[in-house]
Amino acid sequence: MNCPFTFCGFPISIFFIVVNEFCERFSYYGMRAVLVLYFKYFLQWDDDLSTTIYHTFVALCYLTPILGAIVADSWLGKFKTIVYLSIVYTLGQVVLAVSAIHDISDANRDGTPDNMTLHVALSMLGLLLIALGTGGIKPCVAAFGGDQFQDHQEKQRSTFFSIFYLSINAGSLLSTVITPILRAQECGIYTQQQCYSLAFGVPAALMVVSLIVFIIGSGMYIKTPPQGNIMVKVFRCIAFAIKNRFRHRASEFPKRTHWMDWSEEKYDKLLIAQVKMVLRVLFLYIPLPMFWALFDQQGSRWTLQATIMNGDFGILKIQPDQMQTVNPILILALVPIMDSLLYPLIAKCKINFTPLKRMTVGMLFAALAFIAAALVQIQIDQTMPKFPSSSEGQVKFININNRSLEVKAGTSDVYCVFPLSITYIELNEHICEGSKVSFCLQFMDIKAKPEQGANAIREVFGSDFCCSGSISTQFRVESAAGECVYSQDLGFGSSFTLIIPPTFAFVDNCGQSIQTVVDIKPNTIHMAWQIPQYFLMTLGEVVFSVTGLEFAYSQAPSNMKSVLQAGWLLTVAVGNIIVLIIAEAATLDDQWAEYILFASLLVVVCFIFAFMAHFYTYIDPAKIEAQFAERDPEEKEKEKRKSVEMTRKGSAEQRKEDRRNLYFSCHFESLQAYI
């Protein structure tokens, strides 16, 4: 066409929509990639609370699309809904970025916010606005892009959706690589700390760009006015059927084939048939939230798991939140392999691998992924320190004399004798922290493993020495007599006590006289061990999610595909709510046990889903709709007269029931007055 708003057969307006979606997805996934670490390390929440708030936020993001769809279709239209909710979205990102600036409440400039309540309140407000914004525009943007094409541009519309999906994955992949790098930077006015404000600020800036680009294209868009929301009509039809069935529950009323047939008095048979098709699919959705309960823990539990692993990949130091990039990378690789190679191969083997069977297999892969995560967690736990409980005690003696001693411990006349060599013997934990101590007898306790791969170094001096150095593997011991360089391999998340005895002398190989005590072992389990669980989960996602959307689309009536899309998003929200319930209710001391619990629940749900799917009959919605469209006018007129008669009869029955209710009401009031 020679239309000034087209290029190579494509509307120019779709360029603005694709850029808008790329920036918005970058903003959302970039923020979400570092969110659980922000809760843990900035707001100082524990793992359980961080996981709970994270999944509450994700659940809200998948509940609000229903609200956005209703507002767009019934009131504002898609364009205005996207603009208004994008403004709310942008404000939320800005507020979240401001909440991560530690200097705004650090009055004493010690690097710790003095008013943590302010930061928590700002972050919760920001997340609430983001959930409303991202969820509200989710069902509108893709549909709005489809509105830009004419009837003769079916091929271009199909290409657009492929490009649109690519922009989503590109935004997700780039953001999960870039924002963890930004988070690892140090920033601040008074003290330098990890820059969560920058990690949230860049997604906020991308959201501003997204909004501006979308508004710039305003004059080129085809803006369809709101035409009423089909979801509202479906809900009303279902509600009327339930109400009418309850009203005619007496035995004298003849039964009907399907309970939705009780809405025939008010609604057209075509609509009722379409609602029946939708309900059959929604019934199969009931077990699906359990899959999402496992899938979305990639951004919470699995990220927290990576914080206590070794991220040294040679020249690269991988951040824990960057491991989430494995998922989009594997998606881009596995989708074409499955579609072009595996599925055709299965078909050639004459195996009836139906969509519902694929979804069942996808759920099993997700369960296997959590079993793999549990096996990794068991190996990690073996490297974690065992701290004494509140009812236990530990004493650590550090002997800095040049002779062995003997310690007696006990009560009354019963003593246990412990030989104390020139190093130390563990009875209770007292560790010296400082740079210059003559004789240190009682020291600070080790209470936690160093976070984020940091290393704790404690020096104990038996003479007047000074130790200088930074977070490196070399330390320099200096005094007027000379200097000595000591090397120590630190690793990730280790804690060492370096003991300089009174016999220390600046001679050749002087570092050999420095005694090293390993208080906490380094993180020896490499992050690469998470790749198998990410692979299994991504394989499950490709088989389950892509197939599920394809199944819902093929089984949905032509005008109700959005209803099933909303139902699909609702299963994601419910899945995150399940995580909240299990995380709070399951009081398991070991994280690997929680992984096994989730895997076991999914396996049980998988068998339930397979049983339900066995009795499902695939249909062709187009043929069913065509049957109603081809009925002759006389039949339609007959149904119309029948509908009117049933309505009158229903009204008469309703009046009779009202009189009966009034009679009982009057007698009940008389009885009350008598009492």
Side-chain angles (χ1 to χ4, degrees):
M1 294 179 62
N2 296 324
C3 177
F5 296 109
T6 61
F7 178 76
C8 296
F10 289 87
I12 294 179
S13 57
I14 66 167
F15 166 79
F16 300 96
I17 297 172
V18 169
V19 173
N20 166 271
E21 183 66 13
F22 169 82
C23 295
E24 188 274 327
R25 290 291 86 185
F26 186 106
S27 179
Y28 175 74
Y29 283 108
M31 172 275 303
R32 206 173 104 168
V34 301
L35 188 60
V36 74
L37 298 186
Y38 168 72
F39 292 154
K40 181 179 174 78
Y41 297 124
F42 188 94
L43 299 183
Q44 300 297 312
W45 291 345
D46 61 22
D47 288 2
D48 288 339
L49 182 57
S50 300
T51 300
T52 298
I53 301 301
Y54 175 87
H55 287 283
T56 301
F57 167 71
V58 176
L60 283 175
C61 290
Y62 284 94
L63 284 173
T64 50
I66 298 176
L67 177 63
I70 294 174
V71 169
D73 291 343
S74 304
W75 182 28
L76 293 178
K78 298 183 186 69
F79 175 76
K80 288 184 179 179
T81 301
I82 294 171
V83 171
Y84 294 159
L85 290 182
S86 291
I87 293 173
V88 173
Y89 193 168
T90 304
L91 288 174
Q93 290 281 32
V94 172
V95 170
L96 183 62
V98 172
S99 74
I101 303 175
H102 63 274
D103 291 316
I104 62 176
S105 66
D106 187 12
N108 57 7
R109 303 184 180 183
D110 64 348
T112 303
D114 301 323
N115 187 0
M116 190 60 77
T117 304
L118 173 65
H119 294 274
V120 172
L122 287 175
S123 60
M124 294 302 101
L125 175 61
L127 291 176
L128 182 62
L129 295 174
I130 292 170
L132 181 61
T134 187
I137 69 175
K138 191 185 294 289
C140 300
V141 180
F144 186 70
D147 291 344
Q148 307 308 305
F149 295 88
Q150 304 294 332
D151 293 339
H152 64 278
Q153 295 177 304
E154 284 296 329
K155 183 178 179 180
Q156 289 86 345
R157 182 186 283 114
S158 177
T159 304
F160 160 74
F161 283 116
S162 298
I163 298 173
F164 187 83
Y165 185 74
L166 181 62
S167 69
I168 292 174
N169 283 279
S172 169
L173 178 59
L174 288 176
S175 63
T176 49
V177 171
I178 294 173
T179 51
I181 296 175
L182 299 176
R183 174 193 62 80
Q185 306 304 308
E186 292 188 345
C187 63
I189 301 173
Y190 309 125
T191 57
Q192 298 292 304
Q193 296 187 19
Q194 286 198 340
C195 206
Y196 287 97
S197 56
L198 181 61
F200 292 143
V202 170
L206 264 293
M207 197 58 221
V208 173
V209 173
S210 172
L211 178 59
I212 293 173
V213 168
F214 187 75
I215 293 176
I216 288 175
S218 175
M220 304 179 189
Y221 297 140
I222 297 174
K223 303 171 187 174
T224 56
Q227 299 175 349
N229 195 290
I230 189 64
M231 283 192 293
V232 175
K233 188 179 292 186
V234 170
F235 292 149
R236 287 176 178 173
C237 183
I238 294 173
F240 181 80
I242 296 173
K243 181 180 178 181
N244 199 32
R245 177 67 184 91
F246 181 77
R247 188 180 296 166
H248 299 85
R249 63 188 180 277
S251 58
E252 62 263 23
F253 296 105
K255 294 184 178 181
R256 302 188 183 182
T257 307
H258 192 280
W259 64 270
M260 275 302 302
D261 293 334
W262 287 98
S263 61
E264 289 180 351
E265 285 83 350
K266 187 175 180 180
Y267 293 94
D268 181 70
K269 278 197 172 184
L270 174 60
L271 176 64
I272 296 171
Q274 291 171 331
V275 173
K276 289 179 183 178
M277 288 185 271
V278 167
L279 290 176
R280 292 174 73 249
V281 178
L282 289 179
F283 177 70
L284 287 175
Y285 279 3
I286 294 175
L288 303 190
M290 200 63 220
F291 173 87
W292 300 112
L294 277 68
F295 177 81
D296 278 333
Q297 290 190 59
Q298 293 176 93
S300 56
R301 290 298 197 195
W302 286 13
T303 299
L304 293 173
Q305 183 187 62
T307 62
I308 50 177
M309 300 179 75
N310 186 345
D312 188 356
F313 282 78
I315 60 174
L316 295 176
K317 304 296 181 184
I318 300 297
Q319 301 296 326
D321 34 3
Q322 283 182 312
M323 285 301 294
Q324 297 177 54
T325 60
V326 175
N327 176 256
I329 291 173
L330 288 174
I331 285 178
L332 295 176
L334 288 176
V335 168
I337 292 175
M338 300 295 288
D339 289 341
S340 303
L341 183 62
L342 189 59
Y343 290 154
L345 183 62
I346 293 175
K348 284 186 177 181
C349 295
K350 296 182 179 181
I351 298 175
N352 187 21
F353 200 35
T354 63
L356 293 178
K357 289 180 180 178
R358 294 182 196 176
M359 294 173 68
T360 305
V361 172
M363 296 168 80
L364 289 175
F365 276 127
L368 289 174
F370 263 61
I371 293 175
L375 294 176
V376 171
Q377 188 66 44
I378 290 172
Q379 297 301 315
I380 292 173
D381 290 345
Q382 295 177 0
T383 69
M384 298 296 287
K386 303 297 182 184
F387 297 107
S389 64
S390 57
S391 61
E392 297 175 347
Q394 263 193 2
V395 177
K396 177 180 288 183
F397 287 91
I398 300 179
N399 182 13
I400 54 177
N401 290 278
N402 57 359
R403 61 190 179 90
S404 299
L405 301 174
E406 199 172 75
V407 175
K408 292 184 177 182
T411 58
S412 186
D413 297 328
V414 181
Y415 292 94
C416 295
V417 180
F418 299 93
L420 189 62
S421 65
I422 200 171
T423 55
Y424 75 99
I425 185 170
E426 288 195 19
L427 291 177
N428 213 355
E429 191 123 34
H430 295 283
I431 298 171
C432 179
E433 281 193 271
S435 59
K436 190 174 182 181
V437 181
S438 295
F439 292 95
C440 188
L441 300 178
Q442 290 188 345
F443 311 128
M444 295 293 292
D445 191 14
I446 295 179
K447 296 182 179 180
K449 185 177 178 65
E451 301 282 7
Q452 305 182 75
N455 296 276
I457 302 296
R458 296 162 177 80
E459 302 109 11
V460 179
F461 300 90
S463 301
D464 191 15
F465 297 130
C466 174
C467 180
S468 63
S470 58
I471 303 178
S472 64
T473 57
Q474 285 194 343
F475 300 88
R476 189 178 301 274
V477 182
E478 300 175 344
S479 74
E483 65 179 27
C484 178
V485 176
Y486 174 75
S487 297
Q488 175 66 49
D489 292 331
L490 303 180
F492 280 68
S494 60
S495 179
F496 294 91
T497 298
L498 307 180
I499 303 174
I500 303 177
T503 57
F504 178 84
F506 293 98
V507 295
D508 292 339
N509 299 321
C510 57
Q512 294 181 356
S513 63
I514 297 176
Q515 300 176 36
T516 302
V517 178
V518 181
D519 299 304
I520 297 177
K521 295 179 181 179
N523 301 338
T524 55
I525 307 301
H526 203 278
M527 284 186 194
W529 283 106
Q530 279 195 321
I531 294 178
Q533 67 200 55
Y534 271 101
F535 175 79
L536 289 169
M537 182 60 76
T538 306
L539 187 59
E541 178 192 5
V542 171
V543 178
F544 175 88
S545 181
V546 177
T547 304
L549 289 172
E550 175 189 342
F551 166 76
Y553 190 88
S554 67
Q555 298 297 292
S558 58
N559 63 336
M560 294 189 183
K561 299 187 186 299
S562 61
V563 178
L564 289 182
Q565 176 67 20
W568 182 266
L569 296 176
L570 187 62
T571 64
V572 181
V574 175
N576 283 271
I577 294 173
I578 290 174
V579 178
L580 304 183
I581 296 172
I582 294 179
E584 293 296 327
T587 55
L588 299 174
D589 295 331
D590 297 315
Q591 184 57 52
W592 67 265
E594 184 178 293
Y595 289 147
I596 295 295
L597 174 62
F598 274 104
S600 302
L601 290 174
L602 184 56
V603 170
V604 172
V605 169
C606 183
F607 281 108
I608 295 173
F609 178 76
F611 179 78
M612 295 168 61
H614 178 72
F615 294 97
Y616 183 85
T617 303
Y618 292 85
I619 61 172
D620 186 348
K623 288 185 178 180
I624 296 176
E625 291 173 328
Q627 291 174 1
F628 285 92
E630 292 173 358
R631 290 181 305 165
D632 55 57
E634 289 184 6
E635 186 181 352
K636 291 183 179 180
E637 185 63 28
K638 190 183 298 182
E639 286 185 359
K640 185 176 180 181
R641 287 196 302 269
K642 181 182 176 183
S643 177
V644 172
E645 290 174 2
M646 290 295 292
T647 303
R648 289 175 180 171
K649 184 178 178 181
S651 299
E653 292 296 332
Q654 181 63 43
R655 287 194 297 270
K656 189 184 298 183
E657 186 175 346
D658 290 342
R659 287 196 299 271
R660 190 163 53 245
N661 290 338
L662 179 61
Y663 172 79
F664 285 116
S665 176
C666 292
H667 279 271
F668 181 71
E669 289 176 1
S670 300
L671 181 62
Q672 278 186 317
Y674 175 77
I675 294 173

